[in-house]
Amino acid sequence: MGYQPDKNRYGTMEYRRCGQSGLRLPAISLGLWHNFGDATLIENSRQLLQRAFDLGITHFDLANNYGPPPGSAERNFGRILQEDFLPWRDELIVSTKAGYTMWEGPYGDWGSRKYLLASLDQSLKRMGLEYVDIFYHHRPDPETPLQETMKALDHVVRQGKALYVGLSNYPAVLARQAIDILNDLGTPCLIHQPKYSLFERAPEAGLLNVLQEKGVGCIPFSPLAGGQLTNRYLNGIPADSRAASGSKFLNPDQITEEKLEKVRKLNAMAEERGQKLSQMALAWVLRHENVTSVLIGASKAAQIDDAVGMLANRHFSAEELSRIEGILNS
Ligand code: NDP
């Protein structure tokens, strides 16, 4: 017999309403940016997806370019979906995106209707799906009219190829405009995916307020700053870590002594709270009422266990919050 999900999978996870929509997302979602491409053994990727679903994580986040090579995360996810998850498709929220460079020439990047529609068709083929639950524009395009990009998002919903649409990496002012256009088109923006963590505070400058005001959900990515907000780098750079992997997004030079000093203090504080630093960092992001879900990455199933363990201890006193600010500003 193949994979049988845990019968108690809905027992501990919390499901939070996404903005003013009818959709609820798990408080923790799993992203497939790393550890799902062809460079990873598919059995490891399979284990991560199974553990996540067993713990009630119903939302898996992809993009056309996740790999390496680009497209391979969707292809590998599609294979695991077919082999293990097909009977549970209606219990899953699968998202993908287009917006970064995907193929050569003028139609494989940014935000034109031409690119977005072709890219979603390719993503569906790679994953073997008829529709995705959420289709995102991955980053703003300074040259394509916003109206054209939003109309393309509206179009894929009308085609039935996506159930909902979202924005990612849109700053506050542009997000507001895009959300208004989508509302006018009759396809409300479900969700926004910004980078947000103890180390990355930009959304606090306006974006979180816009999303609250407009009733749009929020799913912060890299809430652990790629692993920096964990105990991973406290004693050097482990050979199996992201920073050692040659990733252009996290290299050993970024793990500075100044940062480590803060991480050590945050780690001590998490210990006082009786939890791991990774758990405190996730709880801190999730403390906002209008943060729907935190979008984590994982290289090992135990990291998913850690994330879900956070749910048991999520409250911060005002004193704790100001202590965190003190550490970050030290
Ligand atoms: P995180 O900040 O959660 O970093 C995840 C990494 O941290 C893991 O791969 C692991 O790295 C390490 N880690 C996780 N848990 C633990 C733990 N308990 N103890 C020690 N180390 C831990 O998120 P990501 O940067 O991976 O991003 C998450 C998702 O967000 C992506 O998969 C993607 O879906 C989305 N994303 C979206 C972007 C966008 O532009 N919209 C951009 C980037 C990401 P290690 O390999 O060292 O074990």
Side-chain angles (χ1 to χ4, degrees):
M1 192 163 62
Y3 167 62
Q4 290 297 317
D6 191 321
K7 286 195 170 49
N8 299 318
R9 62 189 175 280
Y10 294 114
T12 42
M13 183 52 66
E14 177 190 335
Y15 298 90
R16 293 157 71 100
R17 186 160 304 281
C18 193
Q20 284 168 8
S21 76
L23 190 69
R24 287 191 296 153
L25 291 179
I28 297 156
S29 300
L30 180 67
L32 280 68
W33 180 33
H34 285 73
N35 308 308
F36 288 85
D38 287 348
T40 303
L41 288 175
I42 193 151
E43 290 316 313
N44 193 40
S45 306
R46 187 191 307 276
Q47 214 189 4
L48 296 174
L49 290 171
Q50 292 185 354
R51 179 66 63 88
F53 192 53
D54 281 344
L55 291 170
I57 296 178
T58 49
H59 177 25
F60 300 135
D61 179 74
L62 294 106
N64 56 357
N65 60 339
Y66 291 175
S72 62
E74 286 184 334
R75 212 166 23 249
N76 292 329
F77 174 73
R79 180 175 148 192
I80 298 168
L81 193 76
Q82 296 299 317
E83 291 172 357
D84 294 357
F85 287 94
L86 225 42
W88 296 280
R89 171 65 183 101
D90 292 337
E91 295 183 34
L92 295 177
I93 299 296
V94 178
S95 59
T96 194
K97 322 181 188 81
Y100 283 98
T101 311
M102 188 56 196
W103 64 86
E104 285 187 348
Y107 317 119
D109 204 348
W110 294 106
S112 68
R113 176 182 177 86
K114 170 79 175 165
Y115 169 45
L116 262 51
L117 299 189
S119 181
L120 178 55
D121 281 343
Q122 292 183 15
S123 291
L124 291 174
K125 224 173 264 168
R126 280 191 289 268
M127 292 190 281
L129 290 174
E130 288 173 2
Y131 71 93
V132 289
D133 297 276
I134 308 170
F135 183 55
Y136 285 92
H137 189 218
H138 208 160
R139 63 166 165 176
D141 176 348
E143 292 182 359
T144 299
L146 195 54
Q147 185 82 17
E148 173 173 335
T149 308
M150 294 308 112
K151 276 187 99 168
L153 294 184
D154 169 68
H155 185 75
V156 298
V157 170
R158 290 178 196 279
Q159 281 181 311
K161 292 179 180 174
L163 302 187
Y164 302 92
V165 294
L167 306 168
S168 182
N169 299 305
Y170 273 57
V173 172
L174 208 58
R176 178 187 288 280
Q177 290 169 7
I179 291 164
D180 287 344
I181 294 171
L182 284 170
N183 278 334
D184 288 346
L185 291 168
T187 297
C189 179
L190 175 79
I191 196 163
H192 187 294
Q193 192 176 124
K195 189 178 193 178
Y196 183 49
S197 71
L198 283 162
F199 281 166
E200 177 57 67
R201 308 288 290 270
E204 292 172 4
L207 181 68
L208 291 177
N209 286 342
V210 168
L211 301 181
Q212 175 95 46
E213 178 196 324
K214 298 284 178 186
V216 171
C218 180
I219 180 163
F221 70 78
S222 298
L224 301 174
Q228 297 177 88
L229 287 163
T230 71
N231 58 10
R232 198 86 163 106
Y233 300 105
L234 286 179
N235 301 305
I237 302 200
D240 64 346
S241 66
R242 185 178 299 182
S245 71
S247 161
K248 63 177 177 188
F249 300 97
L250 184 64
N251 61 61
D253 293 345
Q254 286 169 259
I255 320 281
T256 58
E257 187 46 42
E258 191 194 343
K259 222 181 246 172
L260 276 175
E261 194 48 40
K262 292 178 182 166
V263 172
R264 279 188 210 105
K265 289 181 188 159
L266 291 169
N267 192 54
M269 186 176 161
E271 272 174 13
E272 280 172 39
R273 283 168 51 90
Q275 63 187 166
K276 293 188 176 179
L277 171 55
S278 60
Q279 295 174 322
M280 187 174 87
L282 294 178
W284 182 88
V285 170
L286 205 57
R287 80 196 187 286
H288 292 280
E289 199 188 317
N290 70 319
V291 164
T292 317
S293 181
V294 284
L295 180 50
I296 62 160
S299 67
K300 297 170 180 55
Q303 295 174 347
I304 300 174
D305 297 341
D306 278 352
V308 175
M310 167 273 289
L311 293 172
N313 181 6
R314 290 167 37 190
H315 178 73
F316 291 93
S317 67
E319 188 269 330
E320 283 178 309
L321 288 174
S322 78
R323 195 171 148 201
I324 288 175
E325 291 306 313
I327 293 171
L328 293 172
N329 294 319
S330 63

